[in-house]
Amino acid sequence: MSAPKPPARRTARITTPDGVGIAAEAFGAETGPGMVFIHGFSQSSLCWSRQTASPLLADLQMVTYDFRGHGASDKPEDPARYKGAELWAGEVDAVVHAFGLERPVLVGWSYAGRIIGDYVATFGTKGISGIVFVDAVTANERRFYGSCNRLMRQMCSPDVAENITATRAFLRRCFANPVPQPLFELLFGVNMLVPHHIRAALFDRVADYDALNRTLDVPVLVVQGALDEVVAPAMAEHITEIVPNARLDLFEGVGHAPFLEAPERFNAALATFVREVTGKA
């Protein structure tokens, strides 16, 4: 039996309301239930490769993009271009409309918990069917974080040697288990595409979405690696506690990136959730 064909790939260059050029791609079906994948701090859309190539998700619409300052997207120099909630919200909205998605599920990893919060604060939930928080950040209390904050601050250093050393160490701490060297090199490479001053502009942005999360009226799945050293499981437990009817899926033996360390389990859970919330089960 021949192997299943990978999902079709379509690319786009999208302009945000404030004029930032965003690199985006769509995979899988061109109609039907959709997802928008939002990557984390200093990463890129390439981190979702084990989802966009998955036959489990091939009949769904999958859209990935490099958010501002990252990957192949524009990198504005002004720190103010990374601060306003309306800027991040407008970026997500532009991606959704560029691909004609109807009420997609937003899937956000780590820093993207902020971006999803910005979107909902600006546009509400009428334009989405659900949310998947993946080891996501939505609050600032110290107990919600792991032991990597010092490394992340060093990743903002203009000293190139310090920056590289910290980035390599941080990336290793994102995983509880060894990852293939080509994958590590890919993730490290896209990390180093992000200038230090842009990392700094993102790093000091406050996450304060508790009040908003208490009002969420769409289905929410909270995915968390039990061995995450970047964002503590306490964050996921907190989100699950305050979001009405949220469900926690804890991945034992996994670190900060369940979608890379346990992709088959993650993809199956994601496919089930998307089909349930869009009525396509």
Side-chain angles (χ1 to χ4, degrees):
M1 180 181 296
S2 60
K5 293 176 62 177
R9 173 175 172 264
R10 306 173 296 283
T11 63
R13 189 79 183 178
I14 299 163
T15 302
T16 69
D18 65 319
V20 178
I22 297 296
E25 295 183 307
F27 302 82
E30 295 190 34
T31 60
M35 295 170 280
V36 176
F37 293 90
I38 311 173
H39 63 80
F41 175 79
S42 200
Q43 267 298 330
S44 86
S45 59
L46 292 174
C47 72
W48 302 109
S49 61
R50 292 186 171 181
Q51 284 63 61
T52 57
S54 170
L56 285 171
L57 303 174
D59 62 332
L60 304 173
Q61 296 187 82
M62 295 176 279
V63 170
T64 67
Y65 72 99
D66 297 335
F67 62 66
R68 61 185 59 212
H70 291 63
S73 292
D74 289 352
K75 299 173 176 60
E77 291 292 318
D78 184 355
R81 304 292 291 279
Y82 302 91
K83 302 299 186 185
E86 72 283 354
L87 301 178
W88 294 100
E91 186 172 290
V92 175
D93 188 60
V95 170
V96 169
H97 282 91
F99 288 100
L101 299 176
E102 295 184 11
R103 302 193 72 230
V105 171
L106 300 183
V107 183
W109 176 36
S110 196
Y111 191 91
R114 290 178 169 92
I115 298 173
I116 291 174
D118 294 337
Y119 174 87
V120 173
T122 304
F123 293 105
T125 57
K126 63 183 182 297
I128 59 175
S129 294
I131 296 169
V132 181
F133 289 119
V134 186
D135 294 66
V137 170
T138 65
N140 268 102
E141 291 181 46
R142 184 65 188 88
R143 67 188 179 94
F144 295 146
Y145 292 84
S147 55
C148 294
N149 277 16
R150 180 180 59 83
L151 288 173
M152 294 175 74
R153 288 204 176 276
Q154 291 172 338
M155 289 168 68
C156 303
S157 173
D159 183 293
V160 175
E162 180 182 24
N163 192 314
I164 289 173
T165 299
T167 301
R168 185 184 292 114
F170 171 76
L171 188 55
R172 289 197 178 109
R173 297 280 291 278
C174 286
F175 300 98
N177 304 285
V179 296
Q181 189 65 19
L183 175 60
F184 184 89
E185 291 173 359
L186 172 69
L187 298 174
F188 179 73
V190 297
N191 260 274
M192 297 313 301
L193 290 176
V194 184
H196 69 89
H197 57 279
I198 291 177
R199 289 174 172 173
L202 269 68
F203 190 74
D204 65 3
R205 201 163 75 97
V206 173
D208 185 15
Y209 301 97
D210 279 3
L212 181 71
N213 284 345
R214 288 188 172 95
T215 69
L216 289 176
D217 57 359
V218 294
V220 172
L221 175 63
V222 182
V223 176
Q224 176 72 36
L227 300 181
D228 191 342
E229 295 186 27
V230 180
V231 177
M235 180 87 77
E237 293 163 1
H238 175 70
I239 296 171
T240 307
E241 180 180 341
I242 68 172
V243 172
N245 301 312
R247 179 167 61 87
L248 174 61
D249 192 351
L250 187 67
F251 281 48
E252 298 290 347
V254 169
H256 187 55
F259 56 95
L260 288 173
E261 284 197 76
E264 291 188 2
R265 177 182 167 187
F266 179 88
N267 293 348
L270 182 58
T272 297
F273 179 77
V274 172
R275 292 185 178 108
E276 286 177 351
V277 304
T278 59
K280 303 296 183 180

